[in-house]
């Protein structure tokens, strides 16, 4: 094992796959000369040259469309958005072309493309730069949605995403790029659609994904001091979702808390809640509790932002609620 930052794991995954397959290229704003807005493509221009590591204008709709077209013609593009907030400018290409071309062409074209970049909040970036769109993309048939929470998963899942023959939305976080973690020395991949049991427990299941799962970790550590045992499931892939892993855990603990950094109406936590109550309702000993942001745009004020975003205290309160403590 070796220790890598999250950004280094991303760069390694892309570089290893580009060495393996010449049809893969990286395109986006500042990915080349600047080594990436978050240094997640550091050194790649020097190794692969400007034909495969391509700086673009500020034109998400344009370079998303170029990526989709080239994927239909045999390439495997990696399209980087400086943030998925900016992907809204190019979302027509993602939803109406990338996600639908296999069906609309009767299987004549597939679209092996990865759209990657940071999602959700990252400090005082205010309302238009602090949005989580996982549930938006997961709602669209034809897209796979991946949200890793650590360097090991980031590398293994990104390699699988690049090799996938369908479009994959790969969502990171500005606040995770500096995170360090152990990563295997050799070649490895992590299959899409398989959750990770991040922590085993017996009293309550906590399901989460992405950077917000760290709050679940903090809560579980605190609750352990009170002899409350939490099982934490990291979804890793939002779609396809590993529902069976959730069901298996809830059958053991009989209680479920879902933690997600997203607006509360119609999100990933909502779908998990529905799947559990409709498939294994009789195993529940308490109503499911889901924890989300406030139902407002993200505030700029640090005091308001702290109240807006879920934290470990919210998780502790939810766990005690389902345990009737």
């Amino acid at each position: 094992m070796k220790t890598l930052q999250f950004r280094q794991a991303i760069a390694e995954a892309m570089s290893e796959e580009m060495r393996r397959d010449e049809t893969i290229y990286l395109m986006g704003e500042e990915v080349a000369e600047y080594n990436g807005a978050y240094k997640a493509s550091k050194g790649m221009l020097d190794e692969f040259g400007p034909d495969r590591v391509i700086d673009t204008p500020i034109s998400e709709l344009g370079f998303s469309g170029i990526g989709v077209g080239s994927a239909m013609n045999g390439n495997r593009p990696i399209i980087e958005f400086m943030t998925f907030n900016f992907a809204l400018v190019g979302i027509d290409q993602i939803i109406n072309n990338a996600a639908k071309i296999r069906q609309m062409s009767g299987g004549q074209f597939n679209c092996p493309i990865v759209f990657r970049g940071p999602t959700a909040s990252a400090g005082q970036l205010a309302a238009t730069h602090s949005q989580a769109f996982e549930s938006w993309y997961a709602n669209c048939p034809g897209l796979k949605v991946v949200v890793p929470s650590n360097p090991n998963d980031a590398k293994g899942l990104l390699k699988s995403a690049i090799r996938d023959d369908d479009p994959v939305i790969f969502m990171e976080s500005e606040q995770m790029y500096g995170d360090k973690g152990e990563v295997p020395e050799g070649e490895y991949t992590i299959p899409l659609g398989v959750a990770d049991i991040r922590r085993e427990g017996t009293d309550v299941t906590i399901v989460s994904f992405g950077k917000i799962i760290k709050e679940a970790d903090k809560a579980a550590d605190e609750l352990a001091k009170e002899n409350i045992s939490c099982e934490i499931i990291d979804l890793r892939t939002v779609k396809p979702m590993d529902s069976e892993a959730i069901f298996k855990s809830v059958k053991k603990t009989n209680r479920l808390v879902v933690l997600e950094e997203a607006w509360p109406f119609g999100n990933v936590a909502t779908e998990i809640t529905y799947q559990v109550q409709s498939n294994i309702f009789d195993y529940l000993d308490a109503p499911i509790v889901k924890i989300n942001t406030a139902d407002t745009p993200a505030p700029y004020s640090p005091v308001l932002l702290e109240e807006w975003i879920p934290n470990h205290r919210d998780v502790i309160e939810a766990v005690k609620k389902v345990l009737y403590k």
Side-chain angles (χ1 to χ4, degrees), residues 253-266:
T253 67
N254 310 117
R255 292 169 172 84
L256 175 61
V257 171
V258 188
L259 171 64
E260 177 188 8
E261 183 184 344
W263 295 310
F265 189 91

Side-chain angles (χ1 to χ4, degrees), residues 250-301:
V250 173
K251 286 179 180 179
K252 177 175 67 173
T253 67
N254 310 117
R255 292 169 172 84
L256 175 61
V257 171
V258 188
L259 171 64
E260 177 188 8
E261 183 184 344
W263 295 310
F265 189 91
N267 53 33
V268 176
T270 305
E271 178 64 19
I272 294 170
T273 301
Y274 172 75
Q275 290 293 338
V276 169
Q277 67 87 23
S278 62
N279 286 281
I280 57 167
F281 178 80
D282 289 343
Y283 286 90
L284 290 170
D285 287 344
I288 300 166
V289 174
K290 69 188 189 83
I291 307 167
N292 300 121
T293 68
D295 196 13
T296 69
Y300 175 74
S301 158

Side-chain angles (χ1 to χ4, degrees), residues 37-38 80-87 116-122 129 131-134 170-177:
Y38 313 105
E80 178 178 314
F81 297 119
M82 196 175 293
T83 158
F84 266 95
N85 296 283
F86 303 154
R116 52 158 293 270
T119 184
S121 66
H129 288 191
Q131 302 168 106
F133 294 113
E134 293 90 326
F170 195 92
M171 308 181 97
E172 303 153 16
S173 168
E174 291 104 320
Q175 292 182 323
M176 288 197 299
Y177 285 120

Side-chain angles (χ1 to χ4, degrees), residues 85-148:
N85 296 283
F86 303 154
L88 294 182
V89 182
I91 200 169
D92 177 57
Q93 289 293 335
I94 300 171
I95 300 297
N96 281 330
N97 291 332
K100 295 178 173 61
I101 194 61
R102 181 191 286 271
Q103 185 201 50
M104 292 177 67
S105 68
Q108 295 178 79
F109 291 101
N110 62 352
C111 193
I113 187 170
V114 175
F115 297 98
R116 52 158 293 270
T119 184
S121 66
Q124 287 180 264
L125 298 181
T128 61
H129 288 191
S130 302
Q131 302 168 106
F133 294 113
E134 293 90 326
S135 61
W136 288 33
Y137 290 110
N139 182 253
C140 180
L143 298 178
K144 298 176 181 179
V145 182
V146 180
V147 195

Side-chain angles (χ1 to χ4, degrees), residues 196-217:
D196 178 43
I197 308 302
R198 188 178 176 106
R199 178 181 184 134
E200 293 192 355
T202 56
D203 295 327
V204 60
T205 299
I206 303 173
V207 177
S208 189
F209 57 89
K211 80 170 192 294
I212 201 69
I213 202 170
K214 296 177 185 179
E215 299 301 316
D217 294 334

